[in-house]
Amino acid sequence: MVNSKEILKEHISKLISLTEEQLDYVFEHFHLMSVKKGQRLISEGDLVHYEYFVLEGCLKSFYMNDNMKMFILQFGMPGWWVTDFDALYNKTKASINVDCITDASVLAISNDDREKICSEIHEIEHFFRWRTNKGYVAAQKRLLSFMNNDAKFRYEELLAMYPQLYNLVPKHLIASYLGVTRETLSRLQQ
């Protein structure tokens, strides 16, 4: 089993400086979850109370349209945060799903607990604001790549940025993330 406390502390300490006591206090607001491959953390229509910090394994957030076509919004690898942020922050029902591609360990923090520690420790508020901004920038870059680049470029870009994905994630999910068919992905890999 991973040392969840040390992984979270290291993750936070890359950006901000906290005392050991503050880091311990922050960690107390998270709870460790072991989740199995295929297990769903969020289903469309759920009320969303938690965001998840991935310790090990791989998750995906995705949307299923009316024709049951899957659109991958995000993969959640170790060190990444995953949830339906719209539903979490706006207290609405989930419009996306989050499940496990592999067995995984995550730390869950509720919206209320995150807000509590942010109000008590200014540096943690800075950390979460930075993390949210970083996620927004990544989503914007991905959207611009979809608008400006062909599938071959997007495939090569994904491979260069996250080579470990290809060992963790089934090819049909990578194809879904890239917005192509499995057959097209096979041609792109040649």
Side-chain angles (χ1 to χ4, degrees):
M1 191 67 171
V2 297
N3 186 335
S4 56
K5 188 175 193 178
E6 289 307 312
I7 292 172
L8 182 64
K9 284 181 176 184
E10 182 180 319
H11 179 70
I12 291 170
S13 296
K14 287 178 183 175
L15 183 68
I16 61 171
S17 294
L18 294 178
T19 66
E20 276 301 309
E21 293 77 25
Q22 288 173 316
L23 286 166
D24 288 342
Y25 179 71
V26 168
F27 183 76
E28 290 171 12
H29 291 83
F30 286 82
H31 68 273
L32 179 64
M33 295 175 62
S34 293
V35 285
K36 296 290 182 193
K37 178 180 179 176
Q39 185 175 340
R40 183 90 34 111
L41 294 171
I42 298 171
S43 294
E44 186 177 346
D46 286 351
L47 291 176
V48 177
H49 302 287
Y50 296 98
E51 59 186 298
Y52 303 95
F53 175 69
V54 182
L55 297 166
E56 61 183 358
C58 188
L59 281 62
K60 71 179 183 292
S61 64
F62 63 100
Y63 171 75
M64 297 290 286
N65 72 8
D66 292 339
N67 297 325
M68 299 307 292
K69 181 176 179 185
M70 179 188 297
F71 295 88
I72 305 283
L73 303 173
Q74 175 191 6
F75 293 112
M77 296 184 296
W80 293 17
W81 296 79
V82 180
T83 193
D84 182 326
F85 291 101
D86 180 28
L88 181 71
Y89 296 151
N90 293 313
K91 298 181 181 359
T92 59
K93 291 184 178 182
S95 57
I96 65 169
N97 305 281
V98 175
D99 72 13
C100 299
I101 297 171
T102 66
D103 289 351
S105 294
V106 299
L107 287 173
I109 187 168
S110 71
N111 195 42
D112 290 342
D113 279 343
R114 188 194 67 249
E115 291 300 314
K116 177 181 182 285
I117 61 176
C118 285
S119 71
E120 295 172 349
I121 304 173
H122 173 71
E123 293 86 358
I124 283 293
E125 180 180 32
H126 173 73
F127 170 80
F128 279 104
R129 185 177 70 243
W130 170 85
R131 196 215 63 220
T132 301
N133 290 346
K134 187 176 175 187
Y136 176 78
V137 168
Q140 180 176 303
K141 284 182 178 181
R142 181 164 179 237
L143 183 59
L144 288 171
S145 185
F146 260 93
M147 289 190 270
N148 292 307
N149 300 309
D150 63 13
K152 179 75 170 168
F153 182 91
R154 293 194 314 270
Y155 167 75
E156 290 170 352
E157 182 179 50
L158 184 66
L159 183 61
M161 289 173 44
Y162 309 109
Q164 68 275 30
L165 264 181
Y166 289 84
N167 297 324
L168 287 173
V169 177
K171 302 304 180 251
H172 73 279
L173 295 179
I174 291 172
S176 176
Y177 181 84
L178 293 170
V180 299
T181 65
R182 177 67 177 91
E183 294 75 24
T184 298
L185 179 63
S186 292
R187 285 193 299 276
L188 295 174
Q189 292 174 313
Q190 298 173 358

